[in-house]
Amino acid sequence: MVYSLTYKVTTSTCDSEGRLKLYSALQMMQDCSEMWIDSEPCVKRYFAEQNMAQLLASRQVEIVRVPVYKEELTVTTSVYEMKPMFGFRNTFIYDAEGRPCYKTWSMGAFVDKATGKLKRVDSATIAAMSLEPQLNMHYGDRRIILPKEGGTSADPIAVMKADIDYNRHVNNANYIRMAMELLPNGFKVGSMRMEYRIPARLGDTLLPIVYETPGTIIVALLTGQEVSTLVEFCERKE
């Protein structure tokens, strides 16, 4: 089933130029994706009974056009494939004329809330799911491969209380907010890939390493020696 929410671009979601922040757009998409489960009572009931949650594992974003202050937007999300431990969805943001501004696809992992480990969804629940057609956009590799050399370390980032969501780890959109602070001035994001590996929690310190090649910047956020999150930004071609 397609689930949708309506939004308006407000002052708190705008940058200094009156354009919707990418961070804010991702929050809209994430909220819509999380609320989607209300449209699937069978899945919602199963997840509650099994003490399970759906956590974002990767997301790819195409930016068609950046909305501006006071624009009316509609965010839609739908699942196009579901496997025992992973689900795949499209989440798009449309303007008032129904034209896409952001196109995304993502993969979510099903986990046990008590252990944090992957947990399988039974076949009856999968069969009861309402799948929708896969939407038209570019589908790249969900895995981000780091260059073997050339990374530059940036200042450590302390995880704050405001970064934590109800799953008790850093909210997915906040990793992007952190990574975007490391982009050079004038870098306009045209597309982005994110890969989430190990959740960061309150009290952790993220160590950023930035890899830059022409038109592409990859930010690796590490907790200790392990990668927590990878974000790849591709520059918009004017």
Side-chain angles (χ1 to χ4, degrees), residues 17-18 37 48 62 64 78 88 92 95 102-103 110 120 136 138 151 162-164 173 182 185 190 197 201-202 210:
E17 304 301 318
I37 200 166
E62 284 182 27
V64 181
S78 57
F88 300 83
F92 280 30
D95 63 18
Y102 301 86
K103 301 179 178 182
F110 308 136
R120 299 176 69 89
N136 182 35
H138 175 70
D163 295 321
I164 306 300
L182 303 174
N185 292 334
R197 295 187 180 180
R201 303 181 186 278
L202 184 62
V210 181

Side-chain angles (χ1 to χ4, degrees), residues 23 65 121 143:
Y23 164 69
R65 180 182 71 82
V121 174
R143 303 289 295 185

Side-chain angles (χ1 to χ4, degrees), residues 101-158:
C101 297
Y102 301 86
K103 301 179 178 182
T104 82
W105 75 273
S106 61
M107 185 183 84
F110 308 136
V111 300
D112 187 304
K113 287 184 179 180
T115 65
K117 295 182 179 180
L118 289 172
K119 187 172 181 178
R120 299 176 69 89
V121 174
D122 67 17
S123 57
T125 303
I126 294 175
M129 271 285 303
S130 300
L131 299 181
E132 298 291 331
Q134 186 174 358
L135 298 181
N136 182 35
M137 63 172 290
H138 175 70
Y139 291 81
D141 194 332
R142 74 172 190 86
R143 303 289 295 185
I144 298 173
I145 306 301
L146 287 176
K148 294 182 179 179
E149 56 186 21
T152 301
S153 296
D155 292 338
I157 303 169

Side-chain angles (χ1 to χ4, degrees), residues 4-19:
S4 66
L5 293 174
T6 56
Y7 289 92
K8 192 167 189 173
V9 182
T10 59
T11 51
S12 63
T13 61
C14 285
D15 63 15
S16 60
E17 304 301 318
R19 291 153 54 91

Side-chain angles (χ1 to χ4, degrees), residues 18 51-52 58 64 69 105 108 112 151 161 168 208 218 226 234:
N51 195 34
M52 293 172 64
S58 66
V64 181
Y69 180 54
W105 75 273
D112 187 304
K161 292 178 181 178
R168 300 185 184 277
I218 299 176
E226 297 185 288
C234 292

Side-chain angles (χ1 to χ4, degrees), residues 38-193:
D38 288 340
S39 67
E40 293 286 344
C42 179
V43 178
K44 184 176 182 178
R45 183 170 57 252
Y46 181 85
F47 272 53
E49 292 171 350
Q50 297 295 318
N51 195 34
M52 293 172 64
Q54 51 177 348
L55 300 182
L56 188 63
S58 66
R59 186 190 293 278
Q60 180 177 322
V61 180
E62 284 182 27
I63 302 174
V64 181
R65 180 182 71 82
V66 179
V68 297
Y69 180 54
K70 289 191 176 181
E71 276 201 60
E72 302 281 352
L73 303 174
T74 299
V75 186
T76 69
T77 192
S78 57
V79 174
Y80 61 82
E81 184 178 3
M82 190 166 178
K83 296 181 178 180
M85 289 189 288
F86 301 98
F88 300 83
R89 72 169 65 243
N90 288 120
T91 306
F92 280 30
I93 297 181
Y94 297 93
D95 63 18
E97 285 71 46
R99 297 170 299 197
C101 297
Y102 301 86
K103 301 179 178 182
T104 82
W105 75 273
S106 61
M107 185 183 84
F110 308 136
V111 300
D112 187 304
K113 287 184 179 180
T115 65
K117 295 182 179 180
L118 289 172
K119 187 172 181 178
R120 299 176 69 89
V121 174
D122 67 17
S123 57
T125 303
I126 294 175
M129 271 285 303
S130 300
L131 299 181
E132 298 291 331
Q134 186 174 358
L135 298 181
N136 182 35
M137 63 172 290
H138 175 70
Y139 291 81
D141 194 332
R142 74 172 190 86
R143 303 289 295 185
I144 298 173
I145 306 301
L146 287 176
K148 294 182 179 179
E149 56 186 21
T152 301
S153 296
D155 292 338
I157 303 169
V159 174
M160 301 183 296
K161 292 178 181 178
D163 295 321
I164 306 300
D165 64 17
Y166 70 90
N167 287 312
R168 300 185 184 277
H169 54 65
V170 173
N171 182 268
N172 300 307
N174 285 330
Y175 292 108
I176 309 308
R177 175 183 53 78
M178 297 172 188
M180 291 192 72
E181 291 294 325
L182 303 174
L183 296 177
N185 292 334
F187 188 98
K188 296 182 179 180
V189 181
S191 63
M192 180 173 57
R193 289 191 299 157

